[in-house]
Every structure is written in structure tokens, then in C-alpha cells.
Amino acid sequence: MAPPGDPRRLCRLVQEGRLRALQEELQAAGGCPEMAGDTLLHCAARHGRRDILAYLTEAWGMDMEAANRDYKRPLHEAASMGHQDCVRYLLGRGAVVDCLKKADWTPLMMACTRKNLEVIQDLVEHGASVLLKNKDGWNSFHIASREAMHGHLEAVKVLLKRCQYDPDCKDNCGVTPFMDAIQCGHIDVARLLLEKHKVCLSAEDRLGAQALHRAAVTGQDEAIRFLVSELGVEVDVRATSTHLTALHYAAKEGHTSTIQTLLSLGADISSKDERNRSALHLACAGQHVACAEFLLQSGLKDSEDLTGSLAQQLIGGAAPATTR
């Protein structure tokens, strides 16, 4: 049997929410042992054990600002997991609201990856900055706009109400929140950003790509229709540094359905980039059989024998075994 104060047993008691057993263990051990990495407060915050969080803080004076190996504080853990009662307790006890973990993520940034709107509201009401940026140049707007698993329309609404931010603020790759929303297919978020802040539709990332190009890369057909049909974005607009169109990007990534969408919207199937490559060139280079077949069937007539030869080899099965 593990001796009193064994860290692994204490962590298990916290996870299971067994406050009485934890009290007995700590009293027998004479206090909280030194623990490498996560403290018992981290564990309590992560698992939503508000009563244990209060006990450890008030009875044993544990440090709410103790950082683990990733420099996470208990507030990071509670915000990340959406435990509002723990967040409120820590903030009420004076926890630093904009504490930074590795890569400069704040608790608010972590909360924006979840669907717990109340936690986001609590953090903002306690003064959390919505404009701080992490090491990738993302602020809370970028994160709330881009989360592919979430699409936080309500979170974006809360953040918009709480501050005046640059509508076209960019991360380290030059991506704006509007571009994030579009490339993740969150049209409702994109529409909100347009209505509230009149974002620039032609903003470019560091490679000169616009929102339309990024939607083509990620295969977001509905977002492409939204941009072209509703907002009037030119379907053949080129990225300034590469001269690639959305059709080129879609072919490069092997998105056959996106190619179909772009062609239905009037994209020029024969357009070339600065290296004189068509969409068929890029589909062949990426060994995307279905895309190459579709482009040929759609009437693409390339003047270069090399392209036609590559396409025929690819479709005929002469491509390497890594074809995808």
C-alpha cells in the first residue's frame, strides 16, 4: 500500500473527487508533497473539482499561479476544459487572468477552443485581453473564428462587443479572422465579421493568397460560393506572389468537388500561373488521378505535350504507388 502523501494516489483522489479521503491523506502526510509538473491544483482545475480546488487553496495555501512544465496555471486548465465554477473561483481569488503558458496562450485563448460561452464571458468580464497574440500571432478572434471543430459564432459575438479590434488583424502567416472563418467553412462567422467590421475581402496572407484561395486549399465549396456568388469576389483572382488562381489551388490539393464548384462559377480552366502551369499540371504533379481525369473530361486542352503525357500516364496507371 502506498504511504500517505503518495503523489499518484493523491492525484487519483482529486480526479475522482474524493475530498474526504484527500483530506485524511494530506493530514496524515502533514501537507502537500512537492510534485514535478502538475500540482494537485492543476489536477483539480482540469477535472472540475471546485470543492477540492477551494480546499487546497484555503486549507493548505497552495499557489494558484504555480506553473507546470508547459507553464500552464490552474486557470489555463479550468478554462481549457470549460469548468466555469473553477474559473470563477480562481478569478475570485485573484488569479492572473492573462497568464501565459508555452507559446503564449492565455486562458481566454484556450477557452475560445471550447463551446462554453459562459467561461469566455467570465474571463472577458474580469479583464482578459482579447488582443494579446500567441507565438503564432493568433489572438482570440483568430482562434474563435478558425476552430474547425467548433465554429464559435456566439463567442465571436461576445468578443466583438467587448473591444475595438483591427478587423483585418493578421497572424504570423498574414491570416485574418475573416480568412480563418472562410477556410474553415464558418460562413456565419464570416458574415458577422463582414456586417460588424466591414473586413477587407481582398486581404492577403504572406504568400499573397486571399480568402478565396484559402477556401480552395481546404475544399470549402459553400464558402467559395458565398464569396463569389454573394460577395462578388472574382473567381479567377490570382495570389500576388504565385499567380495561382483558386482553381490551381484546388487542383494542387486534389479537391475534385471544389474544382467542379469553381468551374460552375465561371473559373477559367485554361488559366496559367507565372510558371505557365495550368490546373492540370498541378493535379498531375500531385498525382491526383480523379482531378486530372475530371479536368480532361471538362475540356481542358493544354498546348504542352508534356502535360498531356503526364496526365495520360497518371490516369493510365503509370504513376508511382504513392498515388493518392
Side-chain angles (χ1 to χ4, degrees):
M1 182 177 177
D6 177 71
R8 288 174 296 182
R9 176 170 170 75
L10 292 175
C11 286
R12 186 166 65 254
L13 293 175
V14 172
Q15 292 173 18
E16 296 171 356
R18 297 169 60 187
L19 176 58
R20 176 59 65 85
L22 179 68
Q23 292 172 329
E24 294 174 354
E25 285 274 341
L26 292 180
Q27 289 167 1
C32 301
E34 291 291 329
M35 300 173 66
D38 288 346
T39 67
L40 294 181
L41 282 183
H42 286 89
C43 188
R46 183 183 306 125
H47 292 277
R49 306 302 185 186
R50 193 266 187 200
D51 55 346
I52 293 179
L53 201 62
Y55 168 69
L56 294 170
T57 302
E58 297 169 23
W60 295 101
M62 292 192 70
D63 183 6
M64 293 186 302
E65 303 303 331
N68 65 11
R69 292 188 180 93
D70 291 327
Y71 306 119
K72 279 185 180 179
R73 273 65 166 179
L75 185 59
H76 284 109
E77 297 284 3
S80 175
M81 300 306 294
H83 297 308
Q84 185 184 20
D85 53 350
C86 291
V87 169
R88 286 184 169 179
Y89 176 79
L90 291 166
L91 291 173
R93 296 283 297 185
V96 177
V97 71
D98 283 327
C99 52
L100 302 179
K101 78 170 194 71
K102 270 188 178 179
D104 291 346
W105 280 67
T106 66
L108 179 60
M109 292 175 190
M110 300 187 76
C112 284
T113 68
R114 297 280 177 173
K115 282 202 170 183
N116 195 322
L117 184 62
E118 291 76 17
V119 169
I120 295 173
Q121 291 175 319
D122 286 338
L123 290 165
V124 171
E125 288 172 1
H126 278 80
S129 172
V130 297
L131 299 181
L132 287 176
K133 292 185 176 183
N134 64 19
K135 288 291 181 64
D136 293 307
W138 305 345
N139 61 29
S140 295
F141 287 102
H142 288 104
I143 296 166
S145 298
R146 82 165 25 125
E147 285 301 313
M149 295 181 292
H150 309 289
H152 291 169
L153 177 62
E154 295 304 318
V156 173
K157 286 180 179 178
V158 170
L159 297 177
L160 286 174
K161 288 179 181 178
R162 295 291 177 172
C163 78
Q164 296 296 319
Y165 85 107
D166 177 358
D168 295 311
C169 56
K170 296 184 176 184
D171 66 13
N172 292 352
C173 294
V175 178
T176 67
F178 177 78
M179 294 162 73
D180 274 324
I182 287 294
Q183 70 182 357
C184 292
H186 301 319
I187 297 173
D188 52 353
V189 173
R191 196 186 301 275
L192 177 66
L193 292 171
L194 278 170
E195 292 173 353
K196 296 296 184 181
H197 281 275
K198 311 300 181 186
V199 296
C200 178
L201 296 179
S202 59
E204 299 179 348
D205 65 18
R206 291 182 63 182
L207 297 179
Q210 300 181 20
L212 180 66
H213 303 124
R214 298 188 72 92
V217 169
T218 56
Q220 296 294 342
D221 297 354
E222 289 304 314
I224 288 172
R225 292 190 184 94
F226 170 68
L227 290 171
V228 177
S229 297
E230 291 192 38
L231 303 183
V233 173
E234 170 55 48
V235 71
D236 286 322
V237 64
R238 295 180 180 274
T240 55
S241 64
T242 62
H243 293 275
L244 295 176
T245 67
L247 190 66
H248 286 101
Y249 281 108
K252 185 178 180 182
E253 298 298 325
H255 298 315
T256 304
S257 67
T258 302
I259 291 174
Q260 292 175 303
T261 296
L262 289 164
L263 292 178
S264 73
L265 294 169
D268 181 3
I269 196 172
S270 62
S271 63
K272 306 287 185 65
D273 68 3
E274 62 179 357
R275 295 167 59 184
N276 202 36
R277 298 176 300 177
S278 68
L280 183 58
H281 276 92
L282 297 176
C284 291
Q287 300 178 20
H288 300 304
V289 177
C291 284
E293 288 179 331
F294 180 78
L295 288 165
L296 289 172
Q297 292 167 3
S298 297
L300 190 149
K301 303 296 183 183
D302 201 294
S303 61
E304 296 185 35
D305 292 339
L306 176 61
T307 304
S309 174
L310 283 172
Q312 291 303 324
Q313 288 180 22
L314 181 62
I315 296 170
T322 55
T323 298
R324 54 187 179 184

